[in-house]
């Protein structure tokens, strides 16, 4: 069994994680960062189950992603084919996360946001701006800024494309793609590079 996950989760969560891994038969692979997802769950051609989680996540993100994916596995075992993030998955995910809602595992500045998110969990934790920021310690990756810190009208780079920051809608910013002149909506917690004109 892949035990190097122990370096990726908070120390006090290890007994619970170990229980979940032993209880539910799957292989855990820790993989290089993917742009579009933190983790995934799939059934392999040989009938076995595999969960992958990105290696660039901090311990709190990693644990939440791992339990999210285990919830997909358990939901699949219990209910067969259902909506990927439907009521069945939500109930399983909430149940599996309960032992981890503990100040010895998640710091007090994350717990309230995590508890709030779990009332009605979504497909991605990144859609919950407050939780996403708390999980990252409110710090953007080195050399990047959160989009909410970029002044209105300034240019920034996202995935090698230059955008101009526009108005805020309810929860997202309208940003103009300077190449195709289309407007795209960005979550407030997206990390971007400031454009310095070079």
């Amino acid at each position: 069994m892949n035990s190097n996950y122990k370096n990726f989760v908070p120390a006090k969560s290890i007994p619970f994680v170990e229980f979940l891994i032993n209880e539910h038969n799957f292989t855990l692979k820790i993989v290089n960062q993917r742009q579009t997802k933190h983790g995934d769950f799939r059934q392999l051609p040989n009938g076995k189950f595999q969960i992958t989680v990105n290696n660039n996540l901090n311990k709190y993100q990693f644990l939440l992603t791992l339990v999210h994916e285990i919830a997909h596995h358990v939901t699949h075992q219990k209910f067969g084919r259902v909506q990927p993030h439907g009521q069945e998955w939500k109930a399983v995910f909430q149940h599996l996360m309960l032992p981890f809602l503990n100040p010895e595992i998640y710091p007090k500045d994350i717990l309230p946001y995590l508890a709030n998110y779990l009332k009605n969990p979504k497909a991605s934790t990144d859609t919950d701006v407050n939780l996403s920021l708390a999980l990252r310690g409110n710090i953007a990756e080195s050399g990047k800024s959160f989009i909410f810190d970029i002044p209105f009208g300034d240019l920034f780079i996202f995935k090698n494309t230059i955008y101009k920051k526009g108005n805020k809608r309810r929860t997202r910013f309208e940003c103009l793609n300077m190449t195709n002149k289309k407007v795209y909506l960005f979550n407030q917690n997206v990390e971007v590079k400031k454009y310095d004109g070079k």
Side-chain angles (χ1 to χ4, degrees):
M1 183 67 237
N2 187 341
S3 63
N4 67 349
Y5 73 84
K6 292 179 181 174
N7 303 324
F8 287 88
V9 296
K12 297 277 188 181
S13 71
I14 291 171
F16 298 113
V17 172
E18 207 160 337
F19 172 79
L20 288 176
I21 289 174
N22 294 334
E23 186 77 2
H24 306 290
N25 199 6
F26 64 88
T27 305
L28 172 61
K29 281 181 84 174
I30 297 165
V31 298
N32 290 334
Q33 174 182 6
R34 293 162 291 189
Q35 286 300 322
T36 53
K37 57 187 172 186
H38 296 317
D40 72 3
F41 157 73
R42 66 176 54 149
Q43 187 167 10
L44 301 173
N46 63 8
K48 293 191 171 165
F49 296 98
Q50 176 181 286
I51 286 174
T52 63
V53 183
N54 292 2
N55 64 4
N56 66 313
L57 303 176
N58 69 36
K59 291 181 175 195
Y60 308 118
Q61 294 170 309
F62 189 97
L63 177 59
L64 188 59
T65 301
L66 177 58
V67 178
H68 174 124
E69 299 307 337
I70 293 172
H72 280 303
H73 180 39
V74 174
T75 305
H76 178 79
Q77 301 298 97
K78 270 181 131 171
F79 302 101
R81 281 196 174 279
V82 290
Q83 282 287 313
H85 298 98
Q87 291 312 316
E88 298 87 350
W89 172 80
K90 288 181 185 195
V92 169
F93 185 35
Q94 288 163 334
H95 176 72
L96 293 180
M97 274 305 293
L98 277 176
F100 300 104
L101 291 179
N102 174 332
E104 290 194 329
I105 294 174
Y106 275 100
K108 288 188 171 67
D109 51 356
I110 293 178
L111 272 176
Y113 299 116
L114 185 56
N116 192 48
Y117 163 75
L118 286 168
K119 287 178 188 166
N120 185 19
K122 300 279 188 292
S124 168
T125 49
D126 288 345
T127 54
D128 183 321
V129 173
N130 295 329
L131 174 60
S132 168
L133 290 174
L135 284 169
R136 295 184 217 176
N138 293 308
I139 299 166
E141 227 178 273
S142 158
K144 293 188 175 180
S145 305
F146 290 117
I147 201 163
F148 60 75
D149 283 333
I150 302 278
F152 175 85
D154 274 18
L155 299 176
F156 65 87
I157 301 170
F158 180 72
K159 293 189 179 166
N160 299 323
T161 303
I162 300 171
Y163 291 86
K164 184 176 184 178
K165 182 174 167 186
N167 290 318
K168 185 178 177 188
R169 287 207 194 165
R170 238 162 28 100
T171 58
R172 297 192 285 183
F173 288 104
E174 296 176 351
C175 299
L176 178 68
N177 179 318
M178 300 306 283
T179 309
N180 66 14
K181 300 299 182 202
K182 288 183 180 169
V183 171
Y184 294 85
L185 292 177
F186 279 76
N187 273 345
Q188 308 169 58
N189 52 348
V190 170
E191 296 181 28
V192 300
K193 282 187 178 159
K194 290 179 177 170
Y195 180 67
D196 56 10
K198 287 177 188 149

